[in-house]
Amino acid sequence: MTSPASKDSGAPALPDYAPVPRSSLGPALNDQGYYVGRVERNLYWVTDGDYHSAFLTTRDGVVLFDAPPSIGHNLQRAVNDIAAAEGVSNAVTHLVYTHHHSDHAGASSLFGSDVVRIGHEETRRLLLRDNDPAKPAPEETFADHRTLEIGGERIQLAWHGSNHSPDNIYIHFPDHDTLMLVDIVLPGWAPFYGINLSEDVPGYMEAPVTALSYPWKYLIAGHLGRLGTRDDVTLHQQYITDIQAGGEGGTWRGRPHPVFPEVRGEPVGRGQVLPGCGGGCCRCARHREVHRRAGSRGCVHGPHRLFDPGVDPPGPRLPHGRSPVSKP
């Protein structure tokens, strides 16, 4: 199939793209630009076709997981829809951060100062550093594991090392057959540029293995139109394995590519400090973890220092604290 060339341009006809498979698309959005649906029992997910959030209704109120600014005020509208239909409270009492990036946390402030915010200890450190009123730092933190019991519901939080970001966590809903792990697998799609702008490539590649070690049926992946399945995670692993196989002989086994023989006089590929990863950031234990994981595998990892509070992860610089797209 080809696209017709302009009669005036004289340009040759170009091959057309295949249509996006229906299996990669999610449910249709409503007139206000969002979809809210049941995952399992009283666990729900919200999407604008690009980002995901989730919430759990309990006898004591609503627990919200992430607050993407692209969904913005539609998060509360989604909660209101379900609360009215199910006859439960629409008050958001807790907000759990998966990690500190603005595109998943930047609408947190919409829920006021009375909400209990929970996140990894590194999430708190990074949000305090950012000092962004759109995403207040969590008051309650944990280091490795924590089980929340809120309104009779059980939520398991875990940090298994850095991956997409130094603080990205796993949220397991053992009574709802669901795992929330964002910015790793994109169900029905290949990863974004730079494997989802991940700061620790070896950690990113290990994350699906950890995800599959949990018992779950549904995956809330943080992006694009639908929920994920275990088959989606397996397919993602196969895709990344193909990329790894294609790159062997370069940096993957610790042998510097001839184009980049050294950086600042140091060999590349043994966990050395890279540009954008100054000695100051590596005084932090979580940042040293990135080096340890990369060096033990003889792998090059990407720079993981955030250059200033006005940017998100390295790569394309993303503005912090975007105003929610939806209006009050």
Side-chain angles (χ1 to χ4, degrees):
M1 183 175 182
T2 59
S3 299
S6 168
K7 294 180 180 179
D8 298 328
S9 68
L14 299 175
D16 201 356
Y17 291 102
V20 175
R22 184 68 189 88
S23 61
S24 294
L25 302 177
L29 307 181
N30 63 19
D31 291 340
Q32 291 178 302
Y34 69 93
Y35 169 85
V36 57
R38 190 189 308 271
V39 181
E40 182 79 6
R41 298 193 300 109
N42 56 330
L43 176 64
Y44 301 87
W45 70 298
V46 188
T47 183
D48 60 356
D50 187 0
Y51 283 86
H52 298 172
S53 178
F55 63 90
L56 189 64
T57 60
T58 79
R59 61 174 180 246
D60 295 337
V62 175
V63 184
L64 181 67
F65 303 89
D66 274 354
S70 66
I71 305 177
H73 290 280
N74 281 337
L75 289 170
Q76 186 65 62
R77 293 189 181 104
V79 170
N80 294 346
D81 292 344
I82 297 301
E86 300 295 326
V88 297
S89 171
N90 69 342
V92 176
T93 58
H94 296 74
L95 195 161
V96 179
Y97 291 122
T98 59
H99 64 305
H100 73 285
H101 289 161
S102 293
D103 59 333
H104 292 274
S108 174
S109 63
L110 296 180
F111 296 91
S113 59
D114 293 334
V115 170
V116 176
R117 292 174 172 83
I118 303 169
H120 189 260
E121 61 185 16
E122 182 72 352
T123 302
R124 176 174 171 80
R125 187 189 74 80
L126 290 166
L127 290 182
L128 287 173
R129 178 209 63 183
D130 292 348
N131 192 28
D132 184 347
K135 45 179 190 174
E139 299 88 3
E140 297 187 13
T141 65
F142 69 100
D144 296 313
H145 296 85
R146 180 177 178 183
T147 297
L148 304 177
E149 294 185 0
I150 301 172
E153 302 295 338
R154 198 163 45 121
I155 307 151
Q156 296 174 339
L157 311 180
W159 181 81
H160 293 288
S162 59
N163 46 70
H164 166 70
S165 69
D167 58 326
N168 200 28
I169 66 170
Y170 299 69
I171 303 176
H172 185 223
F173 303 88
D175 303 319
H176 298 81
D177 290 329
T178 300
L179 180 72
M180 185 170 185
L181 175 64
V182 310
D183 284 337
I184 302 293
V185 177
L186 307 181
W189 299 83
F192 299 143
Y193 164 79
I195 55 171
N196 298 339
L197 299 175
S198 293
E199 301 177 49
D200 179 356
V201 173
Y204 172 91
M205 296 176 72
E206 284 186 356
V209 177
T210 304
L212 289 173
S213 72
Y214 284 87
W216 55 269
K217 182 177 179 181
Y218 309 104
L219 175 69
I220 302 171
H223 278 287
L224 300 172
R226 67 172 174 85
L227 297 175
T229 66
R230 299 183 77 87
D231 286 343
D232 287 318
V233 177
T234 300
L235 182 60
H236 168 89
Q237 287 179 300
Q238 294 169 350
Y239 176 81
I240 295 297
T241 298
D242 284 347
I243 293 175
Q244 176 185 340
E248 286 186 349
T251 60
W252 178 253
R253 291 182 176 174
R255 297 192 299 274
H257 193 284
V259 176
F260 302 107
E262 59 181 35
V263 176
R264 291 181 183 169
E266 298 291 342
V268 176
R270 288 294 175 186
Q272 302 293 333
V273 175
L274 299 180
C277 179
C281 85
C282 292
R283 287 195 293 268
C284 171
R286 301 302 176 195
H287 289 269
R288 290 197 302 272
E289 168 74 3
V290 177
H291 285 280
R292 184 192 67 77
R293 295 167 70 98
S296 66
R297 294 163 182 79
C299 302
V300 171
H301 65 84
H304 56 273
R305 181 183 180 190
L306 300 188
F307 296 91
D308 60 62
V311 299
D312 248 326
R317 298 195 172 193
L318 306 177
H320 275 242
R322 289 185 297 164
S323 298
V325 170
S326 60
K327 297 180 180 179

